[in-house]
Amino acid sequence: AASFQAAQRGLQTWWEIVFPSLLPFFIIAELLMNLGFVAFLGALLEPAMRPLFNLPGCSGFIISVSYISGFPICAILSNQLRRANLCTKNEGERLLSFTSNASPLFMLGAVSMGMYGNPALGPLIAGIHYLSNLFCGLILKAFSPSQASAVIREKRILRSAFRAFAASSQLKTKNFGQLLGETIRSTSLTLLTIGGFITFFSVLVGILQAAGVFNLLLKLFYPLTIFFKIDTHLLQGIFFGFFEITIGIKEISRSSSGLLAQLLAIEALLAWNGLAIQAQVTGMIMDSDL
């Protein structure tokens, strides 16, 4: 019964939140890459991306998508960028590290409206989450090998962008209908895979909860909850969120702790992503060297 209910909860999360928020971005982003638009944009953005993050210009597209979509789409796009040799291994890994943003639909809709019924919380939660990841990208620049970009010194950037577009566009070998069909098939398969990850971890959390593992952890940490005056629902939400953030944040929203404590816990879980998201990201980059 615990397994069945947890599977239903996982599938509901996937169908109502993840599927509608990711499907259009998956299709559009992959289509733009196949059409050569990302390579075109990359040549234009190179003069800005190198000084800021020491990343190729085409990474600007992925950074933009990370703020309007959510994980694990940026892992998929970073993987495609690396496989197309549009970035080095170091650049791909740094890009992957700071573009794993939560979906704005999740933070503004599911969390602030669905769980708290307070639309004012959404921009605050999203703003902290996005800025922390952006600062992470700026800091990671220090761990990258310095390199001078030939594109930055090139006088005719627009001509370079059109050359990049012509070189990377798959329209030379396939028509638009073929590209669209392949894109929809691959994105549908990817979304099913993501649904499998979400359901698996939802069932795992359900089984651990039914087996009393979380109650045991709460008893072990009980002295700390008394000393720091932490509500058990808040602590339990953090335990849940370690595996799957949606379940964890929902539990945190039921806590009697102050709003500041709840927001701190939510931001920590969003930063961690949860094992479910980390497994998704790992699954999306397994055919590359990232």
Side-chain angles (χ1 to χ4, degrees), residues 101-120:
N101 286 320
S103 164
L105 185 65
F106 174 70
M107 290 183 286
L108 301 176
V111 177
S112 68
M113 283 300 297
M115 298 177 191
Y116 281 93
N118 184 356

Side-chain angles (χ1 to χ4, degrees), residues 227-246:
F227 184 76
F228 290 108
K229 297 179 181 178
I230 301 172
D231 180 47
T232 53
H233 278 290
L234 186 74
L235 194 60
Q236 187 162 281
I238 294 170
F239 291 151
F240 287 173
F242 178 82
F243 295 94
E244 213 287 311
I245 58 171
T246 309

Side-chain angles (χ1 to χ4, degrees), residues 186-216:
S186 65
T187 52
S188 299
L189 185 61
T190 303
L191 278 166
L192 281 173
T193 306
I194 291 168
F197 276 115
I198 292 170
T199 305
F200 170 78
F201 278 94
S202 180
V203 170
L204 180 63
V205 170
I207 291 171
L208 291 174
Q209 189 177 7
V213 173
F214 291 119
N215 286 334
L216 179 64

Side-chain angles (χ1 to χ4, degrees), residues 216-285:
L216 179 64
L217 286 171
L218 285 172
K219 286 177 182 176
L220 290 173
F221 283 92
Y222 185 72
L224 286 176
T225 61
I226 297 297
F227 184 76
F228 290 108
K229 297 179 181 178
I230 301 172
D231 180 47
T232 53
H233 278 290
L234 186 74
L235 194 60
Q236 187 162 281
I238 294 170
F239 291 151
F240 287 173
F242 178 82
F243 295 94
E244 213 287 311
I245 58 171
T246 309
I247 305 166
I249 293 174
K250 195 169 185 178
E251 188 68 20
I252 288 169
S253 69
R254 296 172 180 166
S255 168
S256 60
S257 297
L259 186 60
L260 179 61
Q262 292 183 37
L263 288 176
L264 284 168
I266 288 169
E267 291 295 347
L269 291 185
L270 288 173
W272 165 245
N273 286 175
L275 288 181
I277 301 297
Q278 294 192 27
Q280 288 176 40
V281 170
T282 305
M284 299 306 149
I285 61 169

